[in-house]
């Protein structure tokens, strides 16, 4: 039988320290009962009776590597859906995309976008859907969209491209009909769009192996981090932005109000949530048109 009591303060502190050292996620004391409930579910699956037994598995060299991904799945919040934040996607279609087309359309015809902390993939696939619908002469382009996350469960779900009705609740009916097919209770994204996105493991604490992106999205994840980890995440995503490219933080964006984060980022702030690495003076549509 799995114990029904909550984690003691001391047990919580040990797990919180582990979460922080592995994922940079700061778990405040008020999350004690939430963490207790989530851990219990995992312990039930492993048929363990106590939080201490579970901690020992995570701490032991022989079992830690195998169990850590499950533990991180338990502690991360993965809420996401297609077309989350309509304002962002309007700005992407109306301002950024035309600028990318003007920049690359006559030369490389290559477009690179990274959805950092992509969870189950809805954000990365939203980008792919917009590109597939709105990028003129789509088939003549080399489009690379990368989604990354620390949760291996989420990466696995993302690569399947199968979603429930909630994930599509903010998706235009015409887009849904054109690019999704009903699969029981769920909806399956067309292979043609699914194949535009590659998913890979990445911890925002670490530098990203690819660079030179036209756009990097870092949304709805900084709020789980303390300042040193926010700094790392902002620096690692900003460093992957190419000349003339953009970083979008948006939503809950702590950067503008923190001199320390702005300093770490080294990009130019434009509209709320949007940051730019100038290619040459006044190269951005925002600089010209406001
Ligand atoms: C709330 S979801 C955000 C999904 C999407 N970006 C959006 O805005 O809809 C947060 C994601 O951040 C991931 N995450 C948490 N800590 C991370 C870390 N250190 N490195 C990479 N991803 C992390 C979680 O696994 C989760 O999938």
């Amino acid at each position: 039988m799995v114990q029904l009591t909550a984690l003691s303060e001391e047990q919580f502190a040990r797990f919180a320290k582990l979460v922080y050292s592995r994922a940079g996620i700061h778990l405040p004391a008020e999350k004690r009962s939430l963490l207790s409930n989530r851990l219990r579910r995992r312990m039930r699956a492993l048929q363990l009776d106590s939080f201490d037994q579970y901690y020992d598995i995570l701490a032991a060299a022989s079992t830690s590597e195998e169990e850590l991904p499950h533990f991180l799945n338990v502690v991360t919040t993965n809420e996401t859906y297609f077309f989350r934040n309509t304002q962002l996607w309007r700005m992407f279609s109306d301002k950024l995309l035309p600028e990318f087309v003007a920049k690359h359309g006559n030369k490389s015809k290559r477009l690179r976008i990274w959805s950092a902390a992509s969870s189950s993939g809805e954000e990365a696939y939203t980008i792919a859907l917009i590109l597939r619908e709105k990028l003129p002469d789509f088939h003549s382009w080399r489009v690379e969209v990368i989604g990354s996350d620390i949760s291996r469960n989420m990466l696995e779900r993302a690569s399947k491209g199968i979603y429930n009705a909630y994930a599509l609740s903010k998706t235009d009916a015409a887009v849904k009909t054109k690019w999704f097919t009903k699969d029981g209770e769920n909806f399956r994204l067309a292979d043609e769009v699914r194949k535009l996105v590659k998913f890979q493991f990445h911890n925002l604490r670490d530098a990203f192996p690819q660079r030179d992106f036209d756009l990097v999205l870092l949304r709805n994840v900084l709020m789980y981090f303390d300042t040193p980890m926010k700094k790392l995440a902002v620096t690692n995503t900003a460093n992957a932005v190419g000349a003339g490219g953009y970083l979008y933080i948006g939503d809950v964006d702590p950067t503008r109000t923190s001199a320390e984060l702005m300093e770490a980022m080294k990009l130019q702030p434009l509209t709320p949530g949007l940051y730019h690495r100038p290619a040459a003076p006044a190269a951005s549509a925002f600089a010209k048109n406001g």
Side-chain angles (χ1 to χ4, degrees):
M1 254 303 273
V2 174
Q3 67 188 39
L4 292 171
T5 52
L7 287 158
S8 69
E9 267 176 46
E10 195 205 334
Q11 285 170 323
F12 175 76
R14 285 206 295 165
F15 280 107
K17 198 168 160 201
L18 190 65
V19 177
Y20 183 71
S21 76
R22 290 305 176 127
I25 296 172
H26 172 64
L27 286 179
E30 56 275 17
K31 292 275 167 80
R32 181 144 65 107
S33 89
L34 179 83
L35 182 66
S36 309
N37 292 338
R38 290 187 173 185
L39 287 183
R40 261 190 226 114
R41 236 176 285 152
R42 179 67 191 149
M43 285 158 53
R44 212 172 291 138
L46 295 174
Q47 299 186 315
L48 296 177
D49 289 335
S50 77
F51 293 117
D52 289 338
Q53 270 180 314
Y54 185 56
Y55 185 86
D56 289 345
I57 290 177
L58 283 168
S62 57
T63 42
S64 160
E65 281 316 303
E66 198 182 324
E67 184 52 27
L68 262 168
H70 297 284
F71 176 59
L72 292 177
N73 290 334
V74 165
V75 296
T76 52
T77 301
N78 308 112
E79 160 78 5
T80 186
Y81 47 89
F82 282 85
F83 294 92
R84 182 178 196 177
N85 184 345
T86 33
Q87 234 181 322
L88 159 65
W89 302 114
R90 201 169 312 123
M91 189 260 299
F92 176 67
S93 301
D94 297 348
K95 287 225 170 202
L96 297 183
L97 196 52
E99 185 175 318
F100 297 150
V101 170
K103 183 178 171 195
H104 300 304
N106 292 323
K107 290 184 256 166
S108 67
K109 287 209 139 183
R110 185 169 181 220
L111 195 47
R112 306 185 69 227
I113 300 179
W114 171 28
S115 158
S118 57
S119 186
S120 36
E122 288 88 327
E123 178 177 277
Y125 287 135
T126 298
I127 297 163
L129 282 165
I130 296 176
L131 293 178
R132 182 63 192 82
E133 294 237 307
K134 302 210 163 151
L135 186 61
D137 197 10
F138 178 84
H139 291 292
S140 66
W141 285 77
R142 273 188 301 154
V143 166
E144 284 172 54
V145 182
I146 295 176
S148 68
D149 205 277
I150 198 171
S151 162
R152 295 197 188 271
N153 254 3
M154 288 302 125
L155 291 168
E156 206 176 299
R157 268 169 60 175
S159 46
K160 289 190 179 133
I162 298 173
Y163 294 95
N164 62 17
Y166 173 75
L168 287 162
S169 54
K170 294 280 187 294
T171 303
D172 196 73
V175 171
K176 199 166 144 186
T177 310
K178 187 165 174 194
W179 298 111
F180 291 86
T181 47
K182 198 95 172 63
D183 183 345
E185 291 289 289
N186 296 321
F187 298 85
R188 181 186 290 273
L189 179 62
D191 274 356
E192 185 184 337
V193 176
R194 195 176 55 81
K195 282 183 184 150
L196 297 174
V197 185
K198 300 272 172 290
F199 290 97
Q200 65 192 59
F201 175 87
H202 175 247
N203 187 338
L204 285 161
R205 193 181 55 184
D206 304 323
F208 197 60
Q210 288 99 309
R211 299 238 157 173
D212 211 18
F213 287 95
D214 295 289
L215 174 66
V216 177
L217 297 169
L218 178 66
R219 300 169 63 218
N220 298 304
V221 63
L222 288 178
M223 68 262 222
Y224 304 114
F225 299 154
D226 67 354
T227 302
M229 180 62 193
K230 280 188 180 113
K231 242 166 112 174
L232 284 173
V234 160
T235 307
N236 290 326
T237 46
N239 284 346
V241 173
Y246 296 87
L247 171 64
Y248 184 84
I249 296 180
D251 306 310
V252 192
D253 175 10
T255 319
R256 253 171 234 244
T257 50
S258 157
E260 205 180 336
L261 292 181
M262 282 303 296
E263 166 65 20
M265 173 191 281
K266 296 192 177 69
L267 299 180
Q268 181 189 325
L270 295 172
T271 54
L274 188 69
Y275 301 86
H276 184 230
R277 181 186 300 291
S284 139
F286 288 90
K288 279 180 244 147
N289 305 327

